[in-house]
Amino acid sequence: MSTLSQLMTQRAAAGVAYASAVDALKTAYVNLAALDRTIENRNVGGPAPMLSFLRDKNALDDLVRLLQHAEFAPSLKQDWPVQIITAG
């Protein structure tokens, strides 16, 4: 059985891994969504419609809020849609 000290050390390591995973998820999500939008653009001539994420800003904002953790990811910015448009 783990001691409280061991559990706290494990928690800290899990928190660091979580924060890194959230950052990686955001980067991958923004990149993929931006590429999908760009390829769908009629000026690019890609297939339309493409299978992609739902374009529901409120749902995306809810997802970002759900990913927040009070200690390890407390201030996730609700800027994912803006970053997608900018990256496209």
Side-chain angles (χ1 to χ4, degrees):
M1 185 157 187
S2 297
T3 66
L4 178 57
S5 176
Q6 291 168 327
L7 292 172
M8 294 301 289
T9 299
Q10 292 170 7
R11 180 181 182 274
V16 169
Y18 180 77
S20 177
V22 170
D23 287 342
L25 173 63
K26 178 181 181 179
T27 298
Y29 187 101
V30 167
N31 288 341
L32 180 56
L35 287 165
D36 287 351
R37 288 175 63 106
T38 301
I39 292 169
E40 277 187 334
N41 185 313
R42 290 183 187 158
N43 295 325
V44 174
M50 252 185 124
L51 296 176
S52 186
F53 300 108
L54 294 175
R55 291 191 184 165
D56 182 339
K57 183 184 179 312
N58 292 330
L60 183 53
D61 287 345
D62 288 343
L63 170 66
V64 173
R65 277 192 293 280
L66 286 171
L67 293 174
Q68 289 180 336
H69 182 277
E71 184 175 344
F72 297 106
S75 60
L76 296 178
K77 292 183 179 177
Q78 300 290 328
D79 65 346
W80 294 28
V82 172
Q83 287 196 14
I84 291 166
I85 291 167
T86 301

